[in-house]
């Protein structure tokens, strides 16, 4: 008797063979591993450990890994912040790695500096969302004032409904801004800035002593010296 469903039986055989083959091949071949996104980090350094008031710091931002391709750099932006809300530099897109930024003349104190990495265009989005949020908050304040003065029950219910809708919108906008302000990577350091050192070094224990009578035409000369603020440049001692 002829097989009434030869095509079906042929398809079933092919599927069975394929299933058996998948069970035999290594899992890595059957399901190629997902390549995780490249992890980025920042390193922030200054050209010297301490500065004098009025000096300018040269800050260097290293994006790691150091061999990150230029085509990836152009999709990123870098923000260098002094104490909020001051932004020292906005570099968008990043063209060089490492990137150098020069500070304005420094004032006395311990000045925190923060470098943050974002996707290109993030700061413009934050600025746009912040302006929109301010408008919505002003609208909410106006509605709350109207609600406080309204006595008609039906109008009060309508105002309350509009207020709830607006409060929900504002909460979502704040969450969006918070998400945008979260950097991909960041790094921090503090610049130590001190006043100018106007105190001369102290020299003591001078030998031979002043007024001493010597028989040696070329006596050995020695002295002790110190400077508690700036220290002594040994190369200058001759």
């Amino acid at each position: 008797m002829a097989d009434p469903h030869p095509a079906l039986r042929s398809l079933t055989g092919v599927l069975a063979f394929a299933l058996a083959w998948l069970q035999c091949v290594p899992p890595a071949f059957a399901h190629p591993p997902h390549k995780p996104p490249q992890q980025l980090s920042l390193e922030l350094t200054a050209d010297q450990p301490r500065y004098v008031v009025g000096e300018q710091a040269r800050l260097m931002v290293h994006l790691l890994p150091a061999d990150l391709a230029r085509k990836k750099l152009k999709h990123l932006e870098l923000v260098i912040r002094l104490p909020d809300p001051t932004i020292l530099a906005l570099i968008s897109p990043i063209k060089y790695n490492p990137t150098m930024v020069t500070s304005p003349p420094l004032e006395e104190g311990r000045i925190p500096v923060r470098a943050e990495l974002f996707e290109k265009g993030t700061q413009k989005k934050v600025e746009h969302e912040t302006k929109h949020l301010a408008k919505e908050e002003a609208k909410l304040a106006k509605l709350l004032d109207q609600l406080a003065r309204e006595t008609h029950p039906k109008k009060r219910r309508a105002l309350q409904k509009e207020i709830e809708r607006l409060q929900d919108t504002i909460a979502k906008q704040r969450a969006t801004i918070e998400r945008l302000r979260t950097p991909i990577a960041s790094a921090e350091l503090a610049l130590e800035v001190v006043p100018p050192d106007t105190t001369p070094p102290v020299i003591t224990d001078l030998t031979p002593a002043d007024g001493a009578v010597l028989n040696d035409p070329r006596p050995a000369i020695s002295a002790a010296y110190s400077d508690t603020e700036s220290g002594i440049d040994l190369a200058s001692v001759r």
Side-chain angles (χ1 to χ4, degrees):
M1 181 177 178
D3 189 345
H5 303 291
L8 180 60
R9 290 185 181 278
S10 176
L11 178 60
T12 302
V14 170
L15 291 175
F17 174 79
L19 180 61
W21 180 81
L22 287 173
Q23 291 174 343
C24 295
V25 296
F29 183 83
H31 303 285
H34 175 67
K35 186 178 180 180
Q38 193 171 24
Q39 296 296 316
L40 303 177
S41 62
L42 291 180
E43 182 179 276
L44 178 61
T45 59
D47 61 329
Q48 59 191 60
R50 188 170 65 173
Y51 298 89
V52 174
V53 171
E55 287 187 330
Q56 294 176 279
R58 289 190 293 275
L59 305 169
M60 194 70 73
V61 183
H62 301 261
L63 180 57
L64 305 174
D67 60 350
L68 193 68
R70 184 175 290 273
K71 65 180 181 180
K72 291 186 177 180
L73 283 177
K74 70 180 183 180
H75 295 296
L76 299 169
E77 70 183 22
L78 186 64
V79 178
I80 313 298
R81 301 183 188 275
L82 293 177
D84 283 340
T86 304
I87 293 181
L88 173 60
L90 169 59
I91 301 167
S92 181
I94 300 175
K95 295 181 179 179
Y96 305 103
N97 186 28
T99 297
M100 189 182 77
V101 176
T102 302
S103 77
L106 298 169
E107 297 181 356
E108 183 180 354
R110 190 171 177 83
I111 303 175
V113 183
R114 179 177 172 87
E116 297 177 335
L117 184 68
F118 299 91
E119 291 183 0
K120 179 185 173 183
T122 297
Q123 301 313 304
K124 288 185 177 179
K125 291 179 182 177
V126 170
E127 183 180 355
H128 172 77
E129 291 293 335
T130 301
K131 288 181 179 178
H132 188 57
L133 175 61
K135 291 180 181 179
E136 296 294 277
E137 288 177 334
K139 189 186 298 184
L140 176 61
K142 186 177 180 179
L143 289 175
L144 289 171
D145 181 62
Q146 291 179 7
L147 180 63
R149 291 183 287 105
E150 183 60 61
T151 58
H152 194 282
K154 188 175 181 179
K155 291 183 178 181
R156 283 183 60 86
R157 285 194 297 270
L159 283 171
Q160 287 171 340
K161 187 175 181 180
E162 180 63 16
I163 287 171
E164 290 173 0
R165 183 199 65 78
L166 198 54
Q167 287 174 331
D168 184 60
T169 299
I170 289 174
K172 290 178 180 178
Q173 286 180 323
R174 286 175 176 168
T176 297
I177 293 171
E178 184 66 25
R179 176 180 56 80
L180 289 171
R181 284 179 173 170
T182 303
I184 298 171
S186 64
E188 298 179 351
L189 62 77
L191 304 178
E192 184 181 356
V193 186
V194 297
D197 181 8
T198 57
T199 304
V202 177
I203 301 176
T204 57
D205 300 330
L206 182 63
T207 303
D210 186 24
V213 178
L214 304 174
N215 294 324
D216 187 348
R218 300 185 66 185
I221 298 175
S222 65
Y225 46 84
S226 64
D227 190 320
T228 57
E229 293 187 26
S230 300
I232 300 293
D233 180 6
L234 296 181
S236 67
V237 180
R238 297 189 291 273

